[in-house]
Amino acid sequence: MKYFSTHKKSSSVNYKDALIRGLAPDRGLYLPEEILPYPQDLMQSDTYWQMADKLAQNLLNDEIESEALSKIIQDAFNFAVPVKKIHDFNYVLELYHGPTAAFKDFGARFMARCMSYFLEQESMKVTILVATSGDTGSAVAKGFYQVPNIDVVILYPKNKVSPLQEKQLTTLGHNITALEINGTFDDCQHMVKEAFMDQKLNDQIQLSSANSINIGRLLPQSFYYFWAYQQIMPNQSMVFCTPSGNFGNLTGGILAKRMGLNIKQFIAATNVNDVVPEYLTTGQYRPRPSIATFSNAMDVGNPSNFDRMLAIYGSHDEMNQDILGYKVTDSQTLAIISSVYQNYNYLLDPHGAVGYKALSDYRKERGDEETPIVLLETAHPAKFGEVIEKATGVLPEIPEVLKEALTKEKVSIEINAKYEDLKNYLLNR
Ligand SMILES: *Cc1c(COP(=O)(O)O)cnc(C)c1O
């Protein structure tokens, strides 16, 4: 299978090269040239990893030896992926049972293991450069922790990630370095982009990306849409609601639909950083600086996967048929966390709450009460304890996997939001 660049100037490459490069030389994002239908026996899978294995073999068997790929899958997805009913036809797919308690574990763990597989075959060394608004960084750091031949450098905006997230980013050590940037997440993303464009730098070190732009992260984010479908087995099609920032998670769903999964509609839920919902209603794409919200992993002013969405759909009309966008404010987020907790005894995190509000708005607007809707719950509520307490008066219990980081000491290197400072750091490590 070949992967093309969304900018269509660079030539297509195989999975390995797309994975290691992250961004194409023309700065486009990689997408599969053709999207194969999902295997016929897929819905007979007994376990999550069996299902993921079938899908992965279908996509990658020409490049990763079958047994090795099964091992990657088992190793990467060694945690539960429960689908629960909140009430009536409203379901939640809990994607937060991995080691960093957020859905990015799926992509990061899969990508890390694929990369390690390819690097092992050649004696290559890679530096992974990541900008994070919170969760990506820790999922990537954990995913790559102590993986040979890979260094990870994480940029995060000072004072703009939660205390727990910061601990997760800054306490691992070994091959993981955290750079604390005096700026916003957009600054961090910009600095990383600049590093990838700097030819001289790229001649000296092999850089790679692990943001949601990496194809290795995107592919496994399509798998759990099938899993949710299989768990519920609707009579007809179903709707997915995906809380979105860079839109990698939702793009995973679009791939699943293109593989043949019977998805009626996507609900794209954002906080007030609503560049994509706005595009869907107006046809105008207006990237802009991000605004800080309670659902901070979705504080994105220029979603990196938008290019992919455009490349897949080809036009605004086509995209509009599949995706409905909803914007949710912080006060609505608090109100939903509180009401879902009181009415259904289910504790949403702020990102899931944005999704739940969008789902409710969709039901009201469409008068559609009976189509099963699956909300992708992207983080454990305990990662946002302060917000949850504010909404419900209850402080959620922190899961064991997260407690570990809290006891360790933060180690970070503070630098200004200037590309030169990042470059100096990278060259003089
Ligand atoms: C990253 C993240 C999102 C947004 O996912 P995208 O793929 O960037 O749209 C939502 N919720 C949580 C908790 C996240 O970490």
Side-chain angles (χ1 to χ4, degrees), residues 101-104 133-136 165 212 217 221 242-251 295-298 300 304-305 349 351-352 376-380 383-384:
F103 91 94
K104 292 193 177 68
S133 57
D135 279 322
T136 315
Q165 284 174 336
S212 49
R217 292 236 338 238
Q221 290 174 182
T242 310
S244 296
N246 268 318
F247 283 77
N249 206 4
L250 187 79
T251 304
S295 44
N296 64 10
M298 310 198 301
V300 181
S304 51
N305 279 286
D349 97 295
H351 305 80
L376 277 63
E377 173 53 300
T378 49
H380 192 293
K383 296 190 87 168
F384 304 90

PDB file of all heavy atoms in Angstrom, residues 101-104 133-136 165 212 217 221 242-251 295-298 300 304-305 349 351-352 376-380 383-384, ligand 1:
ATOM      1  N   ALA A 101      -4.263   7.170  30.392  1.00  0.00           N
ATOM      2  CA  ALA A 101      -5.674   7.450  30.629  1.00  0.00           C
ATOM      3  C   ALA A 101      -6.288   8.418  29.619  1.00  0.00           C
ATOM      4  O   ALA A 101      -7.145   9.227  29.952  1.00  0.00           O
ATOM      5  CB  ALA A 101      -5.898   7.954  32.064  1.00  0.00           C
ATOM      6  N   ALA A 102      -5.815   8.349  28.378  1.00  0.00           N
ATOM      7  CA  ALA A 102      -6.424   9.136  27.303  1.00  0.00           C
ATOM      8  C   ALA A 102      -6.350   8.348  25.999  1.00  0.00           C
ATOM      9  O   ALA A 102      -5.533   7.435  25.854  1.00  0.00           O
ATOM     10  CB  ALA A 102      -5.719  10.477  27.138  1.00  0.00           C
ATOM     11  N   PHE A 103      -7.196   8.707  25.050  1.00  0.00           N
ATOM     12  CA  PHE A 103      -7.302   7.892  23.835  1.00  0.00           C
ATOM     13  C   PHE A 103      -6.022   7.903  23.013  1.00  0.00           C
ATOM     14  O   PHE A 103      -5.816   7.022  22.183  1.00  0.00           O
ATOM     15  CB  PHE A 103      -8.485   8.369  22.973  1.00  0.00           C
ATOM     16  CG  PHE A 103      -8.139   9.418  21.962  1.00  0.00           C
ATOM     17  CD1 PHE A 103      -7.806   9.050  20.661  1.00  0.00           C
ATOM     18  CD2 PHE A 103      -8.110  10.753  22.294  1.00  0.00           C
ATOM     19  CE1 PHE A 103      -7.478  10.007  19.717  1.00  0.00           C
ATOM     20  CE2 PHE A 103      -7.776  11.713  21.359  1.00  0.00           C
ATOM     21  CZ  PHE A 103      -7.462  11.344  20.067  1.00  0.00           C
ATOM     22  N   LYS A 104      -5.161   8.895  23.245  1.00  0.00           N
ATOM     23  CA  LYS A 104      -3.950   8.967  22.430  1.00  0.00           C
ATOM     24  C   LYS A 104      -3.013   7.783  22.666  1.00  0.00           C
ATOM     25  O   LYS A 104      -2.111   7.546  21.875  1.00  0.00           O
ATOM     26  CB  LYS A 104      -3.241  10.289  22.657  1.00  0.00           C
ATOM     27  CG  LYS A 104      -4.067  11.441  22.102  1.00  0.00           C
ATOM     28  CD  LYS A 104      -3.306  12.720  22.012  1.00  0.00           C
ATOM     29  CE  LYS A 104      -4.163  13.816  21.394  1.00  0.00           C
ATOM     30  NZ  LYS A 104      -5.285  14.209  22.284  1.00  0.00           N
ATOM     31  N   SER A 133      -0.670  19.915  23.670  1.00  0.00           N
ATOM     32  CA  SER A 133      -1.513  20.801  24.463  1.00  0.00           C
ATOM     33  C   SER A 133      -1.926  20.066  25.727  1.00  0.00           C
ATOM     34  O   SER A 133      -2.764  20.533  26.474  1.00  0.00           O
ATOM     35  CB  SER A 133      -2.734  21.214  23.651  1.00  0.00           C
ATOM     36  OG  SER A 133      -3.435  20.066  23.246  1.00  0.00           O
ATOM     37  N   GLY A 134      -1.358  18.904  25.947  1.00  0.00           N
ATOM     38  CA  GLY A 134      -1.686  18.169  27.161  1.00  0.00           C
ATOM     39  C   GLY A 134      -1.451  16.685  27.022  1.00  0.00           C
ATOM     40  O   GLY A 134      -0.472  16.144  27.491  1.00  0.00           O
ATOM     41  N   ASP A 135      -2.372  16.044  26.316  1.00  0.00           N
ATOM     42  CA  ASP A 135      -2.358  14.590  26.348  1.00  0.00           C
ATOM     43  C   ASP A 135      -1.424  13.913  25.357  1.00  0.00           C
ATOM     44  O   ASP A 135      -0.904  12.848  25.639  1.00  0.00           O
ATOM     45  CB  ASP A 135      -3.767  14.058  26.134  1.00  0.00           C
ATOM     46  CG  ASP A 135      -4.553  14.103  27.424  1.00  0.00           C
ATOM     47  OD1 ASP A 135      -3.960  13.822  28.473  1.00  0.00           O
ATOM     48  OD2 ASP A 135      -5.739  14.428  27.380  1.00  0.00           O
ATOM     49  N   THR A 136      -1.243  14.508  24.194  1.00  0.00           N
ATOM     50  CA  THR A 136      -0.379  13.860  23.202  1.00  0.00           C
ATOM     51  C   THR A 136       0.971  13.556  23.791  1.00  0.00           C
ATOM     52  O   THR A 136       1.484  12.454  23.669  1.00  0.00           O
ATOM     53  CB  THR A 136      -0.093  14.788  22.000  1.00  0.00           C
ATOM     54  OG1 THR A 136      -1.283  15.371  21.613  1.00  0.00           O
ATOM     55  CG2 THR A 136       0.515  14.021  20.867  1.00  0.00           C
ATOM     56  N   GLN A 165      -1.047  16.464  33.985  1.00  0.00           N
ATOM     57  CA  GLN A 165      -0.462  16.301  32.652  1.00  0.00           C
ATOM     58  C   GLN A 165       1.006  16.691  32.659  1.00  0.00           C
ATOM     59  O   GLN A 165       1.852  16.024  32.059  1.00  0.00           O
ATOM     60  CB  GLN A 165      -1.209  17.168  31.626  1.00  0.00           C
ATOM     61  CG  GLN A 165      -2.555  16.593  31.225  1.00  0.00           C
ATOM     62  CD  GLN A 165      -3.343  17.537  30.331  1.00  0.00           C
ATOM     63  OE1 GLN A 165      -3.143  18.748  30.339  1.00  0.00           O
ATOM     64  NE2 GLN A 165      -4.248  16.976  29.559  1.00  0.00           N
ATOM     65  N   SER A 212      -0.703  14.073  15.854  1.00  0.00           N
ATOM     66  CA  SER A 212      -1.764  13.313  15.197  1.00  0.00           C
ATOM     67  C   SER A 212      -1.588  13.336  13.679  1.00  0.00           C
ATOM     68  O   SER A 212      -2.333  12.672  12.978  1.00  0.00           O
ATOM     69  CB  SER A 212      -3.131  13.828  15.613  1.00  0.00           C
ATOM     70  OG  SER A 212      -3.193  15.219  15.499  1.00  0.00           O
ATOM     71  N   ARG A 217      -0.202   7.001  13.791  1.00  0.00           N
ATOM     72  CA  ARG A 217      -1.179   7.287  14.837  1.00  0.00           C
ATOM     73  C   ARG A 217      -2.591   7.208  14.299  1.00  0.00           C
ATOM     74  O   ARG A 217      -3.527   6.820  14.990  1.00  0.00           O
ATOM     75  CB  ARG A 217      -0.955   8.699  15.403  1.00  0.00           C
ATOM     76  CG  ARG A 217       0.321   8.822  16.162  1.00  0.00           C
ATOM     77  CD  ARG A 217       0.165   9.322  17.572  1.00  0.00           C
ATOM     78  NE  ARG A 217      -1.019  10.057  17.891  1.00  0.00           N
ATOM     79  CZ  ARG A 217      -1.030  11.270  18.368  1.00  0.00           C
ATOM     80  NH1 ARG A 217       0.105  11.934  18.523  1.00  0.00           N
ATOM     81  NH2 ARG A 217      -2.140  11.847  18.704  1.00  0.00           N
ATOM     82  N   GLN A 221      -6.527   4.575  15.055  1.00  0.00           N
ATOM     83  CA  GLN A 221      -7.681   5.339  15.532  1.00  0.00           C
ATOM     84  C   GLN A 221      -8.938   5.044  14.717  1.00  0.00           C
ATOM     85  O   GLN A 221     -10.012   5.559  15.021  1.00  0.00           O
ATOM     86  CB  GLN A 221      -7.356   6.839  15.551  1.00  0.00           C
ATOM     87  CG  GLN A 221      -6.364   7.157  16.648  1.00  0.00           C
ATOM     88  CD  GLN A 221      -5.851   8.583  16.674  1.00  0.00           C
ATOM     89  OE1 GLN A 221      -5.017   8.897  17.508  1.00  0.00           O
ATOM     90  NE2 GLN A 221      -6.309   9.440  15.784  1.00  0.00           N
ATOM     91  N   THR A 242     -17.545  12.552  18.117  1.00  0.00           N
ATOM     92  CA  THR A 242     -16.126  12.596  18.441  1.00  0.00           C
ATOM     93  C   THR A 242     -15.693  13.986  18.895  1.00  0.00           C
ATOM     94  O   THR A 242     -15.702  14.930  18.106  1.00  0.00           O
ATOM     95  CB  THR A 242     -15.301  12.181  17.192  1.00  0.00           C
ATOM     96  OG1 THR A 242     -15.833  10.966  16.671  1.00  0.00           O
ATOM     97  CG2 THR A 242     -13.843  11.981  17.550  1.00  0.00           C
ATOM     98  N   PRO A 243     -15.334  14.121  20.176  1.00  0.00           N
ATOM     99  CA  PRO A 243     -14.813  15.395  20.659  1.00  0.00           C
ATOM    100  C   PRO A 243     -13.478  15.675  19.962  1.00  0.00           C
ATOM    101  O   PRO A 243     -12.601  14.819  19.971  1.00  0.00           O
ATOM    102  CB  PRO A 243     -14.578  15.148  22.162  1.00  0.00           C
ATOM    103  CG  PRO A 243     -15.338  13.901  22.498  1.00  0.00           C
ATOM    104  CD  PRO A 243     -15.392  13.096  21.245  1.00  0.00           C
ATOM    105  N   SER A 244     -13.351  16.840  19.350  1.00  0.00           N
ATOM    106  CA  SER A 244     -12.241  17.040  18.417  1.00  0.00           C
ATOM    107  C   SER A 244     -11.432  18.299  18.642  1.00  0.00           C
ATOM    108  O   SER A 244     -11.953  19.333  19.058  1.00  0.00           O
ATOM    109  CB  SER A 244     -12.793  17.059  16.988  1.00  0.00           C
ATOM    110  OG  SER A 244     -13.350  15.794  16.670  1.00  0.00           O
ATOM    111  N   GLY A 245     -10.132  18.165  18.350  1.00  0.00           N
ATOM    112  CA  GLY A 245      -9.213  19.299  18.404  1.00  0.00           C
ATOM    113  C   GLY A 245      -8.438  19.361  17.110  1.00  0.00           C
ATOM    114  O   GLY A 245      -8.693  20.191  16.238  1.00  0.00           O
ATOM    115  N   ASN A 246      -7.485  18.456  16.943  1.00  0.00           N
ATOM    116  CA  ASN A 246      -6.758  18.357  15.671  1.00  0.00           C
ATOM    117  C   ASN A 246      -7.456  17.435  14.674  1.00  0.00           C
ATOM    118  O   ASN A 246      -6.983  17.239  13.570  1.00  0.00           O
ATOM    119  CB  ASN A 246      -5.323  17.871  15.913  1.00  0.00           C
ATOM    120  CG  ASN A 246      -4.368  19.040  16.102  1.00  0.00           C
ATOM    121  OD1 ASN A 246      -4.451  20.035  15.384  1.00  0.00           O
ATOM    122  ND2 ASN A 246      -3.487  18.932  17.074  1.00  0.00           N
ATOM    123  N   PHE A 247      -8.537  16.827  15.083  1.00  0.00           N
ATOM    124  CA  PHE A 247      -9.387  16.008  14.213  1.00  0.00           C
ATOM    125  C   PHE A 247      -8.753  14.709  13.724  1.00  0.00           C
ATOM    126  O   PHE A 247      -9.191  14.135  12.728  1.00  0.00           O
ATOM    127  CB  PHE A 247      -9.941  16.833  13.033  1.00  0.00           C
ATOM    128  CG  PHE A 247     -11.088  17.713  13.464  1.00  0.00           C
ATOM    129  CD1 PHE A 247     -10.856  18.891  14.156  1.00  0.00           C
ATOM    130  CD2 PHE A 247     -12.398  17.330  13.236  1.00  0.00           C
ATOM    131  CE1 PHE A 247     -11.913  19.680  14.601  1.00  0.00           C
ATOM    132  CE2 PHE A 247     -13.458  18.109  13.670  1.00  0.00           C
ATOM    133  CZ  PHE A 247     -13.208  19.285  14.349  1.00  0.00           C
ATOM    134  N   GLY A 248      -7.745  14.230  14.451  1.00  0.00           N
ATOM    135  CA  GLY A 248      -7.172  12.932  14.114  1.00  0.00           C
ATOM    136  C   GLY A 248      -8.121  11.796  14.472  1.00  0.00           C
ATOM    137  O   GLY A 248      -8.285  10.837  13.719  1.00  0.00           O
ATOM    138  N   ASN A 249      -8.744  11.915  15.620  1.00  0.00           N
ATOM    139  CA  ASN A 249      -9.675  10.892  16.077  1.00  0.00           C
ATOM    140  C   ASN A 249     -10.847  10.766  15.103  1.00  0.00           C
ATOM    141  O   ASN A 249     -11.231   9.675  14.697  1.00  0.00           O
ATOM    142  CB  ASN A 249     -10.158  11.275  17.478  1.00  0.00           C
ATOM    143  CG  ASN A 249     -10.605  10.077  18.306  1.00  0.00           C
ATOM    144  OD1 ASN A 249     -10.485   8.939  17.877  1.00  0.00           O
ATOM    145  ND2 ASN A 249     -11.117  10.356  19.491  1.00  0.00           N
ATOM    146  N   LEU A 250     -11.383  11.888  14.705  1.00  0.00           N
ATOM    147  CA  LEU A 250     -12.504  11.874  13.769  1.00  0.00           C
ATOM    148  C   LEU A 250     -12.065  11.351  12.397  1.00  0.00           C
ATOM    149  O   LEU A 250     -12.796  10.602  11.742  1.00  0.00           O
ATOM    150  CB  LEU A 250     -13.122  13.268  13.629  1.00  0.00           C
ATOM    151  CG  LEU A 250     -14.405  13.260  12.798  1.00  0.00           C
ATOM    152  CD1 LEU A 250     -15.575  12.778  13.630  1.00  0.00           C
ATOM    153  CD2 LEU A 250     -14.709  14.617  12.226  1.00  0.00           C
ATOM    154  N   THR A 251     -10.865  11.742  11.963  1.00  0.00           N
ATOM    155  CA  THR A 251     -10.380  11.253  10.674  1.00  0.00           C
ATOM    156  C   THR A 251     -10.229   9.731  10.702  1.00  0.00           C
ATOM    157  O   THR A 251     -10.477   9.056   9.696  1.00  0.00           O
ATOM    158  CB  THR A 251      -9.046  11.949  10.293  1.00  0.00           C
ATOM    159  OG1 THR A 251      -9.256  13.364  10.301  1.00  0.00           O
ATOM    160  CG2 THR A 251      -8.584  11.542   8.906  1.00  0.00           C
ATOM    161  N   SER A 295     -11.648  21.973  28.250  1.00  0.00           N
ATOM    162  CA  SER A 295     -11.279  20.777  27.464  1.00  0.00           C
ATOM    163  C   SER A 295     -10.015  21.105  26.679  1.00  0.00           C
ATOM    164  O   SER A 295     -10.020  21.206  25.456  1.00  0.00           O
ATOM    165  CB  SER A 295     -12.428  20.385  26.534  1.00  0.00           C
ATOM    166  OG  SER A 295     -12.982  21.513  25.886  1.00  0.00           O
ATOM    167  N   ASN A 296      -8.907  21.248  27.414  1.00  0.00           N
ATOM    168  CA  ASN A 296      -7.727  21.886  26.822  1.00  0.00           C
ATOM    169  C   ASN A 296      -7.024  21.071  25.743  1.00  0.00           C
ATOM    170  O   ASN A 296      -6.277  21.622  24.943  1.00  0.00           O
ATOM    171  CB  ASN A 296      -6.742  22.328  27.923  1.00  0.00           C
ATOM    172  CG  ASN A 296      -6.171  21.149  28.699  1.00  0.00           C
ATOM    173  OD1 ASN A 296      -6.349  19.998  28.319  1.00  0.00           O
ATOM    174  ND2 ASN A 296      -5.480  21.435  29.785  1.00  0.00           N
ATOM    175  N   ALA A 297      -7.274  19.783  25.702  1.00  0.00           N
ATOM    176  CA  ALA A 297      -6.650  18.994  24.632  1.00  0.00           C
ATOM    177  C   ALA A 297      -7.309  19.275  23.277  1.00  0.00           C
ATOM    178  O   ALA A 297      -6.851  18.792  22.250  1.00  0.00           O
ATOM    179  CB  ALA A 297      -6.722  17.505  24.952  1.00  0.00           C
ATOM    180  N   MET A 298      -8.373  20.061  23.320  1.00  0.00           N
ATOM    181  CA  MET A 298      -9.036  20.420  22.063  1.00  0.00           C
ATOM    182  C   MET A 298      -8.908  21.919  21.772  1.00  0.00           C
ATOM    183  O   MET A 298      -9.621  22.452  20.935  1.00  0.00           O
ATOM    184  CB  MET A 298     -10.515  20.029  22.112  1.00  0.00           C
ATOM    185  CG  MET A 298     -10.719  18.583  22.560  1.00  0.00           C
ATOM    186  SD  MET A 298     -12.327  17.898  22.174  1.00  0.00           S
ATOM    187  CE  MET A 298     -13.427  19.007  23.025  1.00  0.00           C
ATOM    188  N   VAL A 300      -7.430  24.028  19.841  1.00  0.00           N
ATOM    189  CA  VAL A 300      -6.663  24.041  18.603  1.00  0.00           C
ATOM    190  C   VAL A 300      -7.301  25.040  17.639  1.00  0.00           C
ATOM    191  O   VAL A 300      -8.500  24.955  17.373  1.00  0.00           O
ATOM    192  CB  VAL A 300      -6.644  22.634  17.961  1.00  0.00           C
ATOM    193  CG1 VAL A 300      -5.832  22.648  16.674  1.00  0.00           C
ATOM    194  CG2 VAL A 300      -6.084  21.589  18.935  1.00  0.00           C
ATOM    195  N   SER A 304      -4.713  20.202  12.501  1.00  0.00           N
ATOM    196  CA  SER A 304      -3.755  19.694  11.527  1.00  0.00           C
ATOM    197  C   SER A 304      -4.358  18.671  10.563  1.00  0.00           C
ATOM    198  O   SER A 304      -3.887  18.533   9.447  1.00  0.00           O
ATOM    199  CB  SER A 304      -2.538  19.106  12.242  1.00  0.00           C
ATOM    200  OG  SER A 304      -2.958  18.206  13.228  1.00  0.00           O
ATOM    201  N   ASN A 305      -5.405  17.978  10.997  1.00  0.00           N
ATOM    202  CA  ASN A 305      -5.965  16.970  10.092  1.00  0.00           C
ATOM    203  C   ASN A 305      -7.006  17.512   9.113  1.00  0.00           C
ATOM    204  O   ASN A 305      -7.570  16.742   8.330  1.00  0.00           O
ATOM    205  CB  ASN A 305      -6.580  15.811  10.894  1.00  0.00           C
ATOM    206  CG  ASN A 305      -5.514  14.844  11.354  1.00  0.00           C
ATOM    207  OD1 ASN A 305      -4.967  14.072  10.568  1.00  0.00           O
ATOM    208  ND2 ASN A 305      -5.161  14.927  12.630  1.00  0.00           N
ATOM    209  N   ASP A 349     -15.541  13.377  31.445  1.00  0.00           N
ATOM    210  CA  ASP A 349     -14.456  14.353  31.566  1.00  0.00           C
ATOM    211  C   ASP A 349     -14.860  15.563  30.706  1.00  0.00           C
ATOM    212  O   ASP A 349     -15.845  15.496  29.973  1.00  0.00           O
ATOM    213  CB  ASP A 349     -13.134  13.712  31.094  1.00  0.00           C
ATOM    214  CG  ASP A 349     -12.836  14.069  29.659  1.00  0.00           C
ATOM    215  OD1 ASP A 349     -13.614  13.646  28.781  1.00  0.00           O
ATOM    216  OD2 ASP A 349     -11.873  14.798  29.401  1.00  0.00           O
ATOM    217  N   HIS A 351     -13.802  16.782  27.951  1.00  0.00           N
ATOM    218  CA  HIS A 351     -13.840  16.529  26.502  1.00  0.00           C
ATOM    219  C   HIS A 351     -15.057  15.693  26.136  1.00  0.00           C
ATOM    220  O   HIS A 351     -15.779  15.998  25.188  1.00  0.00           O
ATOM    221  CB  HIS A 351     -12.554  15.832  26.063  1.00  0.00           C
ATOM    222  CG  HIS A 351     -11.324  16.592  26.444  1.00  0.00           C
ATOM    223  ND1 HIS A 351     -10.812  16.539  27.726  1.00  0.00           N
ATOM    224  CD2 HIS A 351     -10.541  17.442  25.763  1.00  0.00           C
ATOM    225  CE1 HIS A 351      -9.763  17.328  27.794  1.00  0.00           C
ATOM    226  NE2 HIS A 351      -9.566  17.887  26.620  1.00  0.00           N
ATOM    227  N   GLY A 352     -15.284  14.652  26.927  1.00  0.00           N
ATOM    228  CA  GLY A 352     -16.469  13.837  26.724  1.00  0.00           C
ATOM    229  C   GLY A 352     -17.736  14.664  26.915  1.00  0.00           C
ATOM    230  O   GLY A 352     -18.735  14.452  26.224  1.00  0.00           O
ATOM    231  N   LEU A 376     -17.339   9.032  21.849  1.00  0.00           N
ATOM    232  CA  LEU A 376     -15.979   8.620  22.157  1.00  0.00           C
ATOM    233  C   LEU A 376     -15.500   9.412  23.371  1.00  0.00           C
ATOM    234  O   LEU A 376     -15.339  10.636  23.298  1.00  0.00           O
ATOM    235  CB  LEU A 376     -15.047   8.851  20.957  1.00  0.00           C
ATOM    236  CG  LEU A 376     -15.055   7.746  19.884  1.00  0.00           C
ATOM    237  CD1 LEU A 376     -16.416   7.605  19.237  1.00  0.00           C
ATOM    238  CD2 LEU A 376     -13.992   8.002  18.837  1.00  0.00           C
ATOM    239  N   GLU A 377     -15.345   8.727  24.487  1.00  0.00           N
ATOM    240  CA  GLU A 377     -14.878   9.402  25.698  1.00  0.00           C
ATOM    241  C   GLU A 377     -13.357   9.310  25.693  1.00  0.00           C
ATOM    242  O   GLU A 377     -12.778   8.226  25.761  1.00  0.00           O
ATOM    243  CB  GLU A 377     -15.515   8.769  26.936  1.00  0.00           C
ATOM    244  CG  GLU A 377     -14.994   9.272  28.281  1.00  0.00           C
ATOM    245  CD  GLU A 377     -15.021  10.785  28.460  1.00  0.00           C
ATOM    246  OE1 GLU A 377     -14.366  11.480  27.665  1.00  0.00           O
ATOM    247  OE2 GLU A 377     -15.675  11.278  29.408  1.00  0.00           O
ATOM    248  N   THR A 378     -12.713  10.483  25.583  1.00  0.00           N
ATOM    249  CA  THR A 378     -11.293  10.500  25.223  1.00  0.00           C
ATOM    250  C   THR A 378     -10.342  10.560  26.415  1.00  0.00           C
ATOM    251  O   THR A 378      -9.155  10.328  26.242  1.00  0.00           O
ATOM    252  CB  THR A 378     -11.016  11.693  24.284  1.00  0.00           C
ATOM    253  OG1 THR A 378     -11.583  12.872  24.857  1.00  0.00           O
ATOM    254  CG2 THR A 378     -11.627  11.457  22.917  1.00  0.00           C
ATOM    255  N   ALA A 379     -10.852  10.898  27.591  1.00  0.00           N
ATOM    256  CA  ALA A 379      -9.946  10.962  28.743  1.00  0.00           C
ATOM    257  C   ALA A 379     -10.657  10.548  30.021  1.00  0.00           C
ATOM    258  O   ALA A 379     -11.883  10.677  30.142  1.00  0.00           O
ATOM    259  CB  ALA A 379      -9.380  12.365  28.912  1.00  0.00           C
ATOM    260  N   HIS A 380      -9.891  10.080  30.968  1.00  0.00           N
ATOM    261  CA  HIS A 380     -10.437   9.741  32.288  1.00  0.00           C
ATOM    262  C   HIS A 380     -10.759  11.040  33.031  1.00  0.00           C
ATOM    263  O   HIS A 380      -9.947  11.967  33.034  1.00  0.00           O
ATOM    264  CB  HIS A 380      -9.395   8.934  33.064  1.00  0.00           C
ATOM    265  CG  HIS A 380      -9.940   8.300  34.306  1.00  0.00           C
ATOM    266  ND1 HIS A 380     -10.353   9.045  35.400  1.00  0.00           N
ATOM    267  CD2 HIS A 380     -10.153   7.010  34.627  1.00  0.00           C
ATOM    268  CE1 HIS A 380     -10.794   8.218  36.338  1.00  0.00           C
ATOM    269  NE2 HIS A 380     -10.681   6.983  35.900  1.00  0.00           N
ATOM    270  N   LYS A 383      -8.292  13.082  35.234  1.00  0.00           N
ATOM    271  CA  LYS A 383      -7.231  13.924  34.688  1.00  0.00           C
ATOM    272  C   LYS A 383      -7.611  15.401  34.782  1.00  0.00           C
ATOM    273  O   LYS A 383      -6.777  16.272  34.597  1.00  0.00           O
ATOM    274  CB  LYS A 383      -6.962  13.573  33.217  1.00  0.00           C
ATOM    275  CG  LYS A 383      -6.440  12.174  33.037  1.00  0.00           C
ATOM    276  CD  LYS A 383      -5.971  11.936  31.634  1.00  0.00           C
ATOM    277  CE  LYS A 383      -4.521  12.351  31.486  1.00  0.00           C
ATOM    278  NZ  LYS A 383      -3.937  11.867  30.211  1.00  0.00           N
ATOM    279  N   PHE A 384      -8.880  15.656  35.037  1.00  0.00           N
ATOM    280  CA  PHE A 384      -9.366  17.039  35.094  1.00  0.00           C
ATOM    281  C   PHE A 384     -10.159  17.242  36.385  1.00  0.00           C
ATOM    282  O   PHE A 384     -11.252  17.789  36.381  1.00  0.00           O
ATOM    283  CB  PHE A 384     -10.203  17.339  33.846  1.00  0.00           C
ATOM    284  CG  PHE A 384      -9.445  17.074  32.578  1.00  0.00           C
ATOM    285  CD1 PHE A 384      -9.490  15.827  31.972  1.00  0.00           C
ATOM    286  CD2 PHE A 384      -8.622  18.049  32.031  1.00  0.00           C
ATOM    287  CE1 PHE A 384      -8.744  15.557  30.836  1.00  0.00           C
ATOM    288  CE2 PHE A 384      -7.875  17.791  30.889  1.00  0.00           C
ATOM    289  CZ  PHE A 384      -7.932  16.540  30.295  1.00  0.00           C
TER     290      PHE A 384
HETATM  291  C1  LIG B   1      -6.193  14.964  21.790  1.00  0.00           C
HETATM  292  C2  LIG B   1      -7.454  14.887  22.528  1.00  0.00           C
HETATM  293  C3  LIG B   1      -8.674  15.192  21.910  1.00  0.00           C
HETATM  294  C4  LIG B   1      -8.755  15.667  20.497  1.00  0.00           C
HETATM  295  O1  LIG B   1      -8.373  14.675  19.573  1.00  0.00           O
HETATM  296  P1  LIG B   1      -7.989  15.096  18.097  1.00  0.00           P
HETATM  297  O2  LIG B   1      -7.601  13.832  17.439  1.00  0.00           O
HETATM  298  O3  LIG B   1      -6.852  16.069  18.204  1.00  0.00           O
HETATM  299  O4  LIG B   1      -9.192  15.719  17.506  1.00  0.00           O
HETATM  300  C5  LIG B   1      -9.824  15.065  22.658  1.00  0.00           C
HETATM  301  N1  LIG B   1      -9.789  14.687  23.942  1.00  0.00           N
HETATM  302  C6  LIG B   1      -8.641  14.382  24.556  1.00  0.00           C
HETATM  303  C7  LIG B   1      -8.677  13.997  25.984  1.00  0.00           C
HETATM  304  C8  LIG B   1      -7.437  14.466  23.880  1.00  0.00           C
HETATM  305  O5  LIG B   1      -6.310  14.170  24.505  1.00  0.00           O
END
